[in-house]
Amino acid sequence: MEKIYMENNNNKKNQSTFQQVFKSQLSKKLSAFMVLVSFFSFLLIGVTNVSYAAVTEIPEDTGLGESFTTSAPGTEIVSNTGFPILMYSTNSGIPIFCLERDIDYRGGITMKKEKPITDQGLLYVMAHTFPHVKFNDSKGQVFPDEVQTWITQATIWQYLYETGAANNATGSGNVANIENIKTAVSLSWDTEVVGCRVDGCGAGATSQATFYDTYIAPIVAEARQSNVTANGTITVSLANQEMSITEDEKYYQTSLVTITNSDPNNFVSGSLKVEIQSAPDGTILIDENGRQIETVNEKNPRFYVRIPVESVTEENKSVLLHAEGTFRGYDGYEYKAGRAQTVSTVFTTDVKAFDDLDIPINYTPEVPDTSMSIAQSVYFIGLVVLLCGVGIIYANAKPRQKQQ
C-alpha cells in the first residue's frame, strides 16, 4: 500500500507542502543547524561534567535489607580547603554513607545488618539530607549529586564529631582535619569540572558563603536538640487538673483531653487509637456534646473522661490513658564488616508513636466563700455590742417607769 501511495504522488505538483519543504535546500540547512546544536550541547555537557541523573531509590520499608555488597569507591569531591569526600554505594547503586571517618571504606565486600540506629539526632540528620532531601543553591537550582553527597557526608561526620561518637576524631595523618569543612566555599570533582559554590555551579558562581554555614550547621543544630526525632510524635494533654460532677451526681468528669501530633502531613489516616488502660469500672469517654464515644478520631481528637462515683475507691483513684498512632517516617540500621567502617542509609517506613496520660481522681466540690473580711467582722461585732447596749438600757428603763 505504501508503494502505491508513493507512485501516485510522484508528480511534484501533487506533493504536499510539507514534502516540498522537506526536500528543499532550506530543509537541508535546518538539518545541518540542528546537528551542530546537538553536537555543541553534547560538548558542553561533557565539559561541565555535572550529572543530574537520579540515584537508585532506597526500597521503602526494607532499606538495604539484611546484607549487601559494596561497590568500589566512586567520584572524589574535594573542597577548596582540601576536605575530600568519596561517593559510596551498594553494587545496586543505592547511595550509602560512612559513620566512622577514621576507618577505611572497603569496596566489594559484604556488609551485614547489625543494630538499629537509636541516636535520634543521627537519624534526623540522615532523614533531612540527600537522597531524601535535595539541596538547592541560592538561586533555587538543585545541586548535582556530587554536591549533594559532599554536603550530606560532611553533615553526618560533623554531627558525629560534635557528639563524641567513636572513630570520628578531629583528623590526623591521611585523615583531613574536620575543621576544614567549616571554611569550604567551593567544591570540584574530576579534572575538567567547573567548581560549584553556594550560588550555583560554573564560571558565573562567585559566592564566598560557606557550605557549612548555609547547609550543614543548621541541620546539626537541629539534630542536637534534646527532644529531636526524625519521626512524628503524639502528645496527650489535660486542660487542667480540675474535676466536676455531673448533674445527676453519678459521674466525675475530667477537664478536656486533647491529642495532638507533630507531623499531620505524614500521619497515617485511621491509625489513632486511644485505650483506657486502667480506671474504676464503668469509666467511659464522651465527646463535647456528652455522647459516649468508642473510637477517637484524629480529625477531632478531643474528649472528656467520666468515672462512676460509686466505683472510686482508695485503691483506684486514677485513670491511665494510652494513645498511639502511626507516622510515615524513617528508620535505619548500621551495617558492618571486618576491617571496614560502619555504613548506613535510612529508609521510609511506618513508625509507631505513643504517649500515656495518668489522671488522678481528686474531686473537690466548689464551696462558696463564706469567710468575712476584717471590716465586716468589726461591723458585725459593733452591731452586736450596740444591740446588747440597747437591750440593757431598755431593761433598766422599764422598772423605773413602773416605780413612777
Side-chain angles (χ1 to χ4, degrees):
M1 293 297 292
E2 182 178 332
K3 183 177 181 182
I4 294 171
Y5 176 83
M6 292 300 294
E7 288 175 352
N8 291 339
N9 290 276
N10 200 29
N11 193 318
K12 186 176 181 180
K13 292 182 179 179
N14 295 329
Q15 288 178 342
S16 66
T17 303
F18 175 80
Q19 288 172 320
Q20 294 179 35
V21 172
F22 185 79
K23 292 182 178 181
S24 68
Q25 291 296 320
L26 176 60
S27 173
K28 294 177 181 179
K29 292 177 181 178
L30 288 173
S31 299
F33 176 75
M34 292 302 295
V35 170
L36 287 173
V37 169
S38 300
F39 178 73
F40 282 112
S41 297
F42 177 79
L43 285 180
L44 183 62
I45 292 173
V47 170
T48 58
N49 198 31
V50 175
S51 171
Y52 291 89
V55 299
T56 302
E57 292 187 3
I58 302 170
E60 294 187 358
D61 295 315
T62 57
L64 299 173
E66 294 300 317
S67 65
F68 62 86
T69 302
T70 58
S71 66
T75 303
E76 183 180 52
I77 310 103
V78 183
S79 70
N80 65 303
T81 57
F83 195 90
I85 286 176
L86 291 162
M87 299 180 76
Y88 299 129
S89 67
T90 67
N91 61 355
S92 60
I94 298 174
I96 54 178
F97 297 93
C98 297
L99 306 183
E100 295 174 305
R101 195 168 69 95
D102 298 342
I103 299 177
D104 290 337
Y105 170 87
R106 294 179 62 195
I109 64 171
T110 299
M111 307 289 290
K112 294 184 179 181
K113 181 194 286 187
E114 289 270 332
K115 59 181 181 179
I117 296 176
T118 56
D119 183 339
Q120 286 297 310
L122 177 58
L123 204 61
Y124 179 91
V125 167
M126 300 186 74
H128 288 79
T129 50
F130 179 73
H132 302 287
V133 175
K134 298 289 185 70
F135 296 102
N136 296 336
D137 63 30
S138 59
K139 297 177 181 177
Q141 298 299 311
V142 178
F143 279 122
D145 290 349
E146 289 81 359
V147 177
Q148 306 281 356
T149 300
W150 192 94
I151 295 174
T152 298
Q153 186 66 81
T155 305
I156 291 171
W157 281 340
Q158 182 66 33
Y159 172 80
L160 293 172
Y161 170 68
E162 290 189 16
T163 56
N167 300 315
N168 283 280
T170 305
S172 61
N174 295 327
V175 180
N177 193 313
I178 197 167
E179 292 297 320
N180 293 348
I181 291 175
K182 295 183 178 180
T183 53
V185 298
S186 68
L187 306 174
S188 61
W189 56 98
D190 299 335
T191 56
E192 71 275 14
V193 75
V194 177
C196 290
R197 294 172 180 263
V198 169
D199 58 344
C201 300
T206 59
S207 175
Q208 291 299 307
T210 66
F211 285 95
Y212 177 83
D213 290 334
T214 308
Y215 305 102
I216 298 172
I219 295 175
V220 172
E222 286 291 327
R224 296 197 63 186
Q225 297 295 316
S226 59
N227 60 344
V228 70
T229 177
N231 305 307
T233 57
I234 284 179
T235 304
V236 188
S237 59
L238 191 65
N240 55 63
Q241 294 293 328
E242 294 180 3
M243 205 169 267
S244 59
I245 192 166
T246 56
E247 291 184 2
D248 58 10
E249 299 186 349
K250 292 183 178 180
Y251 291 92
Y252 297 128
Q253 182 169 310
T254 66
S255 60
L256 186 66
V257 179
T258 304
I259 299 176
T260 56
N261 77 71
S262 63
D263 192 4
N265 292 331
N266 288 314
F267 190 78
V268 178
S269 179
S271 66
L272 179 62
K273 295 180 181 179
V274 178
E275 298 177 352
I276 302 174
Q277 288 203 326
S278 64
D281 291 340
T283 298
I284 59 174
L285 308 181
I286 63 167
D287 62 20
E288 294 174 279
N289 296 316
R291 295 188 295 263
Q292 183 175 352
I293 53 177
E294 299 294 337
T295 303
V296 178
N297 191 319
E298 62 260 19
K299 294 181 180 178
N300 186 28
R302 296 153 59 90
F303 56 90
Y304 299 87
V305 182
R306 277 189 177 177
I307 308 105
V309 173
E310 61 182 15
S311 297
V312 178
T313 66
E314 288 299 323
E315 289 74 30
N316 62 3
K317 294 181 66 175
S318 68
V319 175
L320 180 60
L321 298 179
H322 175 79
E324 66 177 46
T326 302
F327 292 88
R328 195 62 186 170
Y330 295 91
D331 200 0
Y333 292 84
E334 295 181 357
Y335 288 80
K336 295 178 179 291
R339 302 189 311 279
Q341 71 161 276
T342 303
V343 299
S344 184
T345 193
V346 299
F347 56 93
T348 53
T349 185
D350 286 345
V351 180
K352 286 190 176 295
F354 60 89
D355 190 28
D356 294 331
L357 177 65
D358 192 7
I359 307 173
I361 304 173
N362 294 319
Y363 174 68
T364 304
E366 293 185 2
V367 179
D369 186 6
T370 57
S371 62
M372 294 185 181
S373 65
I374 296 176
Q376 288 175 323
S377 301
V378 171
Y379 288 139
F380 179 75
I381 294 172
L383 180 60
V384 171
V385 171
L386 177 61
L387 292 176
C388 290
V390 171
I392 292 172
I393 293 171
Y394 177 76
N396 290 334
K398 197 169 184 180
R400 291 179 182 176
Q401 289 177 355
K402 289 182 178 180
Q403 289 178 3
Q404 293 176 359

